[in-house]
Amino acid sequence: MEGTQRRLAAIVFADVVGFSRLMAEDEAGTLAALRAHRNVTDPVLLNHGGRIVKTTGDGMLIEFPSASAAVQAAIEVQEVMRERSAQLPEGRRMQFRIGINLAEVVDAGGDIFGDGVNVAARVEAVADAGGIAMTNAVREAIRGKSDLELVDTGTHQLKNIPDPVRLWKVGARPVEASTKVDARRRLIGVVAVLPFDNMSGDADQDYFADGITDDLITALSYTPYLGVVARNSTFAYRGSTKDVRTIARELDATHVVEGSVRKAGERVRVTAQLIDAETGHHVWAERFDRRLGYIFELQDELVDSIAARLRPAVWDAAGDRSAGRDTRSVDAWDLYLQGMHEYNTHTVDGFVRSIDAFERARQLDGRFVAPLVGLATSWMLLALNGWRHEGLDPWKNAFEAVDAAWAADNHDYGAVVILAASCPIRGDFELGIRMARRGIEMNPQGFIGHHMLGANFNAAGRPGDAIEPLTDAWRLGRHEPIRYNIANDLAWAHYMLGSHDASLAWGRRAVEINPHYLQSHLVLAATCGQLGRIDEAQPHVDVVLRARPHFSVTRYRTRIIYAGDDNKDHIVAGLLMAGLPA
């Protein structure tokens, strides 16, 4: 059969217990809950080198490079699901059944076939709710490599499988489950602020409604013990007709805020409502009418009202926590909103236009920290996208804006995380780690703090410490345009650890999101080189050389930010083995 290949693989099949009943009771809610769970469990599979071959409703077929990787991933997935179930109302709890087999498969265009796949599907049906079952082939492959307690269940005549199959079930865990405290458990709730509707009848005022939403997200994120879903995750639902309860389940939120903005001349009207995600009932609703000059007081009152309905005891005055909005200049604030509108296009042209608006805001109020953070971020993204302009150095401009933001307000969340983001390039990894941790303390639900912690651990030559925060960033930043960079950092972390199958999995995910990011092609080329898969490396080598015809591994080595000659040598070796020119 043309385009097919045979190989030995560990095959995992998983599905949801009682899925048909759950769908009959609440179809939209069940699908949303499954998507939310997979946002957490999929990274576990990728971290062990798993490849999600396909999904079928509630079922998933996953291929792993080894039986050990498959079993460890299955155990971690079930542990995660137990932790999540403990935090959810009984009606929203969901359990997986997992079956594992080790056999030869036929790969045809990315899909896999063979008797071994059919056996894995039948083994899954034998597993207990929340449990794992495996064939004797898997048990033999992990013998002596694991302290798992395995229970022999004897031979089973599986449906449509001619020969009896001996099966084992996973018993008690050999070690205590992770004692890591999930930041979410300390939270009184997680709020998703949906994009406010522009009711002005003028599309040019969209930026203003978006700005009100952005400011509300930022201010709420400074409320103690309150988690706030990231901006790009909620803006993905602009114009959606989905029920707010479904949206909340997909975002793992306990409450949803929605509203509208009408701006006419010097008058502004904002309506807002806070909705309980479980019941769909309104907890609070209010309408605010103000003159534009009093817009900041309106925002403070809006944030105060929402926080007060969640838990008054933990709320300090909103005006003291509205990070980045420490200006009394309405014109500077309006220019900042325009800059963010351009920035959120996530295009090179948009970044250039955002810089112009942020600079004009800075000229009106040099102590207004938000546009300074915007400047730094825009310049950094231009640098990472390879933007060049005669006489301008994007990194130099980025670092100048970072330092200006820090000088303006070193207690601002944006200033803290943008300083952390600059540290790998500057080589001050320990400062970056401290700032990233501080950012996570300030906003546990913010993906950027976790991302920067992982990035600085990577750069400091501590890839083992980078995996967990980067995985958290991937989970929290599910709709972030820069998510490919998180996957890329995970690929490099696994590469430096020698976990080449996991590096391949994350590198492929990064390229799926952004096929033009050269770092992802470099990590895939290096990984394939290390694995001896030169044919598989060649397309990535071609992409690099088309974009950089004069690329040389020697020159690239001087630009590698990861500390330690061993790390640099490991990267260089993989690139040379892949066929990139020395």
Side-chain angles (χ1 to χ4, degrees):
M1 185 176 175
E2 188 177 350
T4 65
Q5 57 177 329
R6 292 180 178 273
R7 62 169 177 272
L8 186 68
I11 310 145
V12 173
F13 199 89
D15 78 352
V16 177
V17 178
F19 188 72
S20 297
R21 174 185 57 80
L22 292 170
M23 287 287 285
E25 293 174 356
D26 181 3
E27 182 176 292
T30 298
L31 291 174
L34 181 58
R35 280 191 287 269
H37 290 315
R38 284 199 54 194
N39 188 52
V40 179
T41 58
D42 281 9
V44 174
L45 306 175
L46 295 174
N47 276 340
H48 289 281
R51 182 174 74 90
I52 300 171
V53 179
K54 60 184 173 184
T55 59
T56 53
D58 64 321
M60 270 203 308
L61 175 63
I62 312 111
E63 175 191 5
F64 285 87
S66 70
S68 296
V71 171
Q72 187 57 40
I75 289 168
E76 291 182 22
V77 163
Q78 295 295 38
E79 286 181 350
V80 166
M81 290 302 294
R82 279 193 288 273
E83 290 175 4
R84 287 174 64 79
S85 292
Q87 300 172 39
L88 294 173
E90 188 171 346
R92 283 179 58 186
R93 293 177 185 174
M94 195 173 279
Q95 289 182 301
F96 290 165
R97 264 193 304 254
I98 298 178
I100 311 174
N101 187 28
L102 181 68
E104 187 178 75
V105 297
V106 176
D107 186 323
D111 204 349
I112 57 175
F113 303 91
D115 291 340
V117 177
N118 299 331
V119 169
R122 300 307 180 192
V123 171
E124 173 273 321
V126 176
D128 298 325
I132 303 165
M134 66 184 70
T135 61
N136 196 59
V138 177
R139 186 254 187 181
E140 290 300 312
I142 66 172
R143 186 199 288 269
K145 302 176 185 176
S146 170
D147 294 329
L148 277 176
E149 178 186 327
L150 297 178
V151 179
D152 188 350
T153 68
T155 58
H156 296 251
Q157 189 64 58
L158 303 177
K159 184 178 179 181
N160 296 332
I161 305 298
D163 298 323
V165 179
R166 187 179 180 186
L167 298 181
W168 299 75
K169 291 183 179 179
V170 175
R173 292 284 284 126
V175 294
E176 291 183 9
S178 172
T179 56
K180 175 193 170 188
V181 178
D182 188 339
R184 183 186 174 101
R185 294 182 181 179
R186 302 194 301 268
L187 301 175
I188 60 171
V190 176
V191 175
V193 183
L194 300 181
F196 278 32
D197 294 326
N198 171 24
M199 304 298 289
S200 303
D202 180 1
D204 289 339
Q205 293 299 321
D206 284 348
Y207 82 90
F208 189 84
D210 289 351
I212 294 289
T213 311
D214 283 338
D215 268 9
L216 182 55
I217 291 171
T218 301
L220 282 172
S221 71
Y222 276 70
T223 309
Y225 312 114
L226 180 64
V228 183
V229 177
R231 184 242 193 227
N232 283 308
S233 292
T234 56
F235 270 67
Y237 292 92
R238 185 197 294 279
S240 173
T241 58
K242 289 184 178 180
D243 181 81
V244 291
R245 290 174 295 180
T246 299
I247 293 173
R249 288 191 179 103
E250 291 180 356
L251 295 174
D252 264 356
T254 61
H255 294 79
V256 173
V257 176
E258 58 181 11
S260 64
V261 177
R262 183 186 299 274
K263 181 184 176 188
E266 291 299 309
R267 303 291 302 182
V268 179
R269 171 176 290 179
V270 176
T271 63
Q273 44 271 340
L274 177 68
I275 301 166
D276 184 306
E278 187 62 32
T279 64
H281 295 157
H282 284 66
V283 177
W284 162 87
E286 191 70 69
R287 187 180 78 184
F288 302 87
D289 287 293
R290 298 287 189 280
R291 290 184 61 81
L292 188 59
Y294 293 93
I295 187 68
F296 304 140
E297 287 80 359
L298 183 156
Q299 290 174 324
D300 289 344
E301 187 176 348
L302 178 60
V303 174
D304 229 351
S305 298
I306 292 170
R309 266 62 182 185
L310 294 172
R311 183 178 291 181
V314 300
W315 176 244
D316 296 328
D320 295 333
R321 293 185 175 270
S322 297
R325 221 253 296 115
D326 50 352
T327 184
R328 307 315 294 176
S329 168
V330 173
D331 290 338
W333 176 72
D334 192 76
L335 282 166
Y336 164 68
L337 298 188
Q338 293 179 44
M340 287 305 300
H341 183 72
E342 296 293 347
Y343 169 85
N344 283 316
T345 64
H346 281 273
T347 63
V348 168
D349 288 344
F351 296 144
V352 171
R353 290 192 296 269
S354 73
I355 286 170
D356 176 67
F358 291 144
E359 278 288 4
R360 289 160 61 200
R362 179 186 193 177
Q363 290 166 14
L364 290 174
D365 185 348
R367 301 295 296 177
F368 184 14
V369 68
L372 297 173
V373 173
L375 273 175
T377 308
S378 296
W379 280 119
M380 281 187 186
L381 288 171
L382 284 177
L384 290 171
N385 278 278
W387 181 84
R388 297 287 184 273
H389 192 283
E390 186 177 351
L392 290 176
D393 180 347
W395 283 119
K396 179 181 177 182
N397 285 299
F399 296 151
E400 189 273 333
V402 167
D403 294 340
W406 183 254
D409 185 355
N410 60 18
H411 296 290
D412 175 72
Y413 173 71
V416 168
V417 295
I418 199 64
L419 176 57
S422 73
C423 286
I425 306 299
R426 288 170 148 174
D428 196 344
F429 313 131
E430 292 308 312
L431 175 63
I433 290 167
R434 289 202 309 274
M435 290 299 101
R437 282 177 167 155
R438 184 172 163 189
I440 293 169
E441 289 174 2
M442 296 170 77
N443 183 8
Q445 295 294 108
F447 86 98
I448 189 66
H450 299 276
H451 185 191
M452 289 307 105
L453 181 59
N456 277 282
F457 274 138
N458 254 0
R462 298 166 59 182
D465 293 324
I467 300 296
E468 184 175 314
L470 288 173
T471 304
D472 288 340
W474 175 263
R475 172 176 58 84
L476 293 167
R478 69 196 78 186
H479 292 293
E480 294 298 328
I482 203 168
R483 203 182 194 206
Y484 64 87
N485 206 9
I486 304 172
N488 179 74
D489 285 346
L490 275 160
W492 280 117
H494 282 292
Y495 178 90
M496 290 189 285
L497 288 168
S499 304
H500 293 128
D501 290 303
S503 178
L504 272 182
W506 282 111
R508 288 166 176 158
R509 185 58 61 93
V511 167
E512 285 173 9
I513 300 170
N514 183 357
H516 306 294
Y517 191 50
L518 292 189
Q519 282 293 321
S520 301
H521 290 284
L522 285 167
V523 72
L524 283 169
T527 304
C528 291
Q530 292 284 355
L531 292 171
R533 303 181 189 175
I534 308 307
D535 289 345
E536 197 174 331
Q538 191 60 50
H540 305 293
V541 170
D542 292 343
V543 170
V544 172
L545 294 180
R546 277 198 301 270
R548 300 282 187 273
H550 303 295
F551 179 91
S552 83
V553 173
T554 303
R555 258 197 317 273
Y556 180 71
R557 191 186 195 281
T558 65
R559 299 170 188 167
I560 295 173
I561 63 172
Y562 301 133
D565 286 338
D566 288 348
N567 287 326
K568 290 181 171 67
D569 291 344
H570 184 46
I571 292 170
V572 165
L575 294 174
L576 290 173
M577 285 187 279
L580 280 159

